[in-house]
Amino acid sequence: MRRLLRGEAAVWGLLVCLSAAMAGVSFGYGVTREGGQVGPGFLPLVSGAALAVISAACLLRSVRRAAPEPEEEAADPRRVRTLWTVFGMLLVALLLVPLTGFLVAFGLLVFAVSAFVEKQRIVSAAGVAVAATVVIYAVFVLFLTVPLPAGLLGVGGDG
Amino acid sequence: MLDNLMMGFGAALTPANLLWCFVGVLAGTVIGLLPGLGSTTGVAVLLPLTLSFEPLTALIMLAGIYYGAQYGGTITSVLISTPGEAASVVTAIDGYQMARRGRAGAALSIAAIGSFVAAIVSLVLLVAMAPPFAKLALDFGPPENLAVMLLGLTTIVSFSSGARLRGLAMAVLGILLATVGVDAATGLPRYTFGDVDLLSGLPFVQVMIGLFAVGEVLYQIRQGAAAPIRARFRDLVINREELSRSKGAIARGSLIGYLLGCLPGAGSTLASFLAYGVEKRVSKHRDEFGHGAIEGVASPESANNAAANANFVPTLALGIPGGATTAVLLGAFMMYGIQPGPLLFDEQPELVWGLLASFFIGNVLLLVLNLPLAPLFAQMLRIPYGYMYPLILVTSFVGAYSIDNNMFSVWIVFVSGLVGYFMKKFDLPMAPLVLGLVIGPLFEKALVQTSAMGDGDLTLILTRPIALVVLALAALLVAGPSLLKLLPRREKETV
């Protein structure tokens, strides 16, 4: 059961809930207008209801297929750990943007992922991070004048 | 007409126009390479630079950016599964698989060749048939547009082979998510929860970057770093068999692209999806689709380039933009004091024909520039993935930020990336979701207008001959495979 909840069935279950909720909310927008014309809630209702039905059918199929997915079994736990580590670092980089600015946060991300997750040489990882930061600064900030967030440090946002 | 075209070449072939055409094509290619920065953003960002130019020179450069970006978007689609352009989304499916098999150079070459052939074919058609096609497009009302979009959706779902129900679910999810934001007809906000950023809907390009680029990176990390491709330079060059396999695909893609590009609003994206769907139906190598079929690159690339050129039919002849980029170009026309429309051909022949002639020149430049460079671009894949994927993540996020200059875009990419990862993990088709998101707003607009035309009666669509033909085509696509399966069985039974 735990496997089922973690697997494809959970995705379809989530879609059933999401689509049913969106279809339910659509009544509040007005499904039809005067003269029976299509209203703002019509397409959300029809597509939401249709998706709920299709997702329920897919959910049933997944549950009946009960056997664990071979691909799920084949996943290397170390790689799965790496995946969520990178995902977590990405989240940290995004949360750091208001503090350090965009360029510093993402420069640190490149360095940390290359050096500590992918175990590349520290000097090479630092070189790649600096080069990437400079190129992004040149292309986006200087050439395209994109005002990247400079954060509290005020670095690299003078687009 | 030939006299007009000669006059156009005379106007376009000045040293200054040639130089700015080259600059436009080159800048467009570079812009297309950057995730999130497609032709629309490129033309919009560089438009102010052209204000001091002669109108023809400025338009030649901006048009160069337009089709240069189309090709640049293809490069990232093929190499890192990150479409720089919505119209290149479908190219990522087989192009990226080709790249993983060491055929990135071939994929890029066929994209360049297909785009070139399609551009030239569509330009000949554009020059010869712009006036009659403009008249036909005028006959397309909301019911016909609705029927075309239903055909697009049917096609995309029908090519989710072996997973039609999943494909249908993703297409419907795309349409449902496209309803987020202000309703165009009434101005009522839907599913925005008071968030100002959501009023204009889910930002499509950012969602696309997340689904394709970030989702792919996360999935590759889970699979274990894909080994860098060690293909020899000569293996990166397209071979005779690949060229031969692509001929039909390029021809069909060009035709589909041209026909759809002529319709206001249909655009290059729908053309590329439709062309891919048709190719998957008719190709002798349909089993290879999704695993690196060269036809899966040749056809949509030809279609999106043909559509990009054909987009100028409604733009020039009717003053109605064919797509997002031509809408920006239409704005550029206005800024230069030019009013596109039926009278433009008579009032400013040198400008119109000069611009059309510059398309020929620009496409030759694009081919000359990109064909030799394709294997060089493919060398990017030699970089170890441990260095490559953090760079892909950074460029994806900075590209997304640069679209609207806000962090909301970046968070959308983050969330879409997670969704994209799970979609890949559970083998849910992305193309139907993307198409649903793209045509959702257009679909709803056509639905509302059709309903208004029929006083709430949507069966009006069945009374319109053109719409009926298009719907019959859609029905054929749905029922066709089953009917085809029946045919040989009957033959066997009678033998």
Side-chain angles (χ1 to χ4, degrees), chain B residues 135-147:
Chain B
K135 274 184 192 163
L136 182 72
L138 274 175
D139 288 341
F140 267 70
E144 286 75 18
N145 285 333
L146 191 63

Side-chain angles (χ1 to χ4, degrees), chain B residues 143-168:
Chain B
E144 286 75 18
N145 285 333
L146 191 63
V148 168
M149 282 179 264
L150 281 170
L151 174 66
L153 283 169
T154 311
T155 311
I156 199 84
V157 171
S158 75
F159 83 61
S160 308
S161 60
R164 285 189 178 200
L165 201 58
R166 288 158 171 263
L168 184 62

Side-chain angles (χ1 to χ4, degrees), chain A residues 126-149:
Chain A
V128 169
V130 170
T133 308
V134 169
V135 169
I136 286 169
Y137 179 76
V139 173
F140 285 90
V141 180
L142 295 182
F143 179 61
L144 295 172
T145 61
V146 175
L148 290 178

Side-chain angles (χ1 to χ4, degrees), chain B residues 19-376:
Chain B
L19 173 71
W20 288 111
C21 186
F22 177 76
V23 170
V25 165
L26 189 65
T29 307
V30 173
I31 285 167
L33 274 167
L34 304 171
L37 285 181
S39 58
T40 313
T41 318
V43 170
V45 166
L46 296 180
L47 178 61
L49 296 181
T50 64
L51 288 177
S52 58
F53 294 4
E54 286 291 314
L56 178 60
T57 309
L59 288 171
I60 284 175
M61 181 181 157
L62 293 175
I65 295 170
Y66 181 24
Y67 41 77
Q70 301 262 351
Y71 188 74
T74 304
I75 296 171
T76 49
S77 271
V78 169
L79 296 186
I80 53 175
S81 187
T82 307
E85 276 278 320
S88 305
V89 165
V90 79
T91 308
I93 299 170
D94 278 278
Y96 183 64
Q97 291 305 322
M98 282 185 74
R100 298 296 336 151
R101 286 179 10 209
R103 303 298 301 150
L108 292 176
S109 298
I110 204 63
I113 294 167
S115 299
F116 175 75
V117 173
I120 299 304
V121 169
S122 60
L123 282 170
V124 170
L125 291 171
L126 174 65
V127 167
M129 299 168 74
F133 258 108
K135 274 184 192 163
L136 182 72
L138 274 175
D139 288 341
F140 267 70
E144 286 75 18
N145 285 333
L146 191 63
V148 168
M149 282 179 264
L150 281 170
L151 174 66
L153 283 169
T154 311
T155 311
I156 199 84
V157 171
S158 75
F159 83 61
S160 308
S161 60
R164 285 189 178 200
L165 201 58
R166 288 158 171 263
L168 184 62
M170 291 302 106
V172 178
L173 176 64
I175 290 178
L176 182 60
L177 291 178
T179 62
V180 173
V182 170
D183 171 49
T186 60
L188 186 80
R190 296 177 298 189
Y191 309 114
T192 56
F193 309 106
D195 191 322
V196 180
D197 289 314
L198 280 174
L199 285 176
S200 49
L202 284 175
F204 166 67
V205 180
Q206 290 87 325
V207 170
M208 192 180 74
I209 291 174
L211 286 178
F212 281 86
V214 180
E216 174 67 30
V217 164
L218 294 176
Y219 188 72
Q220 288 297 334
I221 295 171
R222 180 177 180 272
Q223 293 301 97
I229 292 166
R230 296 286 178 206
R232 289 168 299 179
F233 190 83
R234 69 163 185 236
D235 290 336
L236 294 171
V237 179
I238 190 163
N239 60 39
R240 201 170 284 182
E241 192 214 333
E242 286 168 328
L243 263 179
S244 154
R245 275 177 59 173
S246 305
K247 278 181 199 162
I250 290 173
R252 285 182 285 273
S254 303
L255 191 66
I256 291 169
Y258 183 78
L259 292 175
L260 276 180
C262 286
L263 308 176
S268 313
T269 310
L270 187 56
S272 64
F273 275 101
L274 257 177
Y276 185 89
V278 167
E279 206 52 42
K280 201 176 175 192
R281 284 257 166 268
V282 302
S283 170
K284 285 178 192 165
H285 307 95
R286 65 194 76 158
D287 294 344
E288 287 180 34
F289 275 72
H291 307 287
I294 195 156
E295 297 93 332
V297 177
S299 176
E301 279 304 308
S302 309
N304 72 33
N305 246 48
N309 286 330
N311 268 189
F312 280 93
V313 171
T315 309
L316 291 176
L318 304 173
I320 301 168
T325 313
T326 40
V328 179
L329 280 169
L330 198 69
F333 273 91
M334 310 285 192
M335 285 169 74
Y336 307 128
I338 303 160
Q339 179 60 54
L343 298 175
L344 186 67
F345 283 81
D346 292 331
E347 287 175 356
Q348 308 243 20
E350 194 166 305
L351 184 126
V352 175
W353 292 102
L355 182 63
L356 292 178
S358 82
F359 292 174
F360 282 97
I361 301 160
N363 277 290
V364 172
L365 286 175
L366 202 61
L367 186 75
V368 169
L369 192 72
N370 285 311
L371 207 51
L373 289 180
L376 286 179

Side-chain angles (χ1 to χ4, degrees), chain A residues 6-8 11-12 15 18-19 21-23 25-26 28-29 33 35-45 47-48 50-51 54-55 57-58 61 65 69 71-72 75-76 79-80 82-84 86-87 90-91 94-95 97 102 106 109-110 113-114 117-118 120-121 124-125 128 132 136 139-140 143-149, chain B residues 27 31 34-35 37 45-46 49 165-166 168-170 172-173 175-177 179-180 183 185-186 188-192 214 217-225 384-387 389-391 393-395 397-399 401-402 405 407 410-411 414 417-418 421-422 424-426 428 440 443-444 447-448 451-453 455-458:
Chain A
R6 283 206 319 246
E8 194 185 313
V11 173
W12 293 118
L15 275 179
L18 175 79
S19 51
M22 286 181 84
V25 171
S26 69
Y29 301 137
R33 289 190 289 170
Q37 290 180 24
V38 166
F42 183 84
L43 191 60
L45 174 66
S47 52
L51 182 58
I54 300 165
S55 303
C58 292
R61 274 190 186 183
R65 211 174 44 213
E69 296 140 40
E71 193 261 357
E72 181 72 22
D76 177 355
R79 294 310 311 176
V80 176
T82 305
L83 158 70
W84 294 117
V86 173
F87 190 74
L90 198 53
L91 181 62
L94 287 176
L95 293 173
V97 169
F102 201 102
F106 277 84
L109 174 75
V110 173
V113 172
S114 306
V117 179
E118 294 298 329
Q120 308 286 347
R121 285 170 51 223
S124 311
V128 169
I136 286 169
V139 173
F140 285 90
F143 179 61
L144 295 172
T145 61
V146 175
L148 290 178
Chain B
I31 285 167
L34 304 171
L37 285 181
V45 166
L46 296 180
L49 296 181
L165 201 58
R166 288 158 171 263
L168 184 62
M170 291 302 106
V172 178
L173 176 64
I175 290 178
L176 182 60
L177 291 178
T179 62
V180 173
D183 171 49
T186 60
L188 186 80
R190 296 177 298 189
Y191 309 114
T192 56
V214 180
V217 164
L218 294 176
Y219 188 72
Q220 288 297 334
I221 295 171
R222 180 177 180 272
Q223 293 301 97
Y385 202 64
Y387 286 126
Y389 80 76
L391 297 177
L393 287 176
V394 175
T395 45
F397 280 96
V398 76
Y401 180 88
S402 66
N405 294 339
M407 283 302 286
V410 175
W411 285 104
F414 181 75
L418 194 62
Y421 163 71
F422 281 112
K424 281 196 82 75
K425 186 182 170 193
F426 295 116
L428 298 171
F443 185 82
E444 187 168 25
L447 189 72
V448 169
S451 156
M453 283 172 72
D455 287 328
D457 182 12
L458 286 170

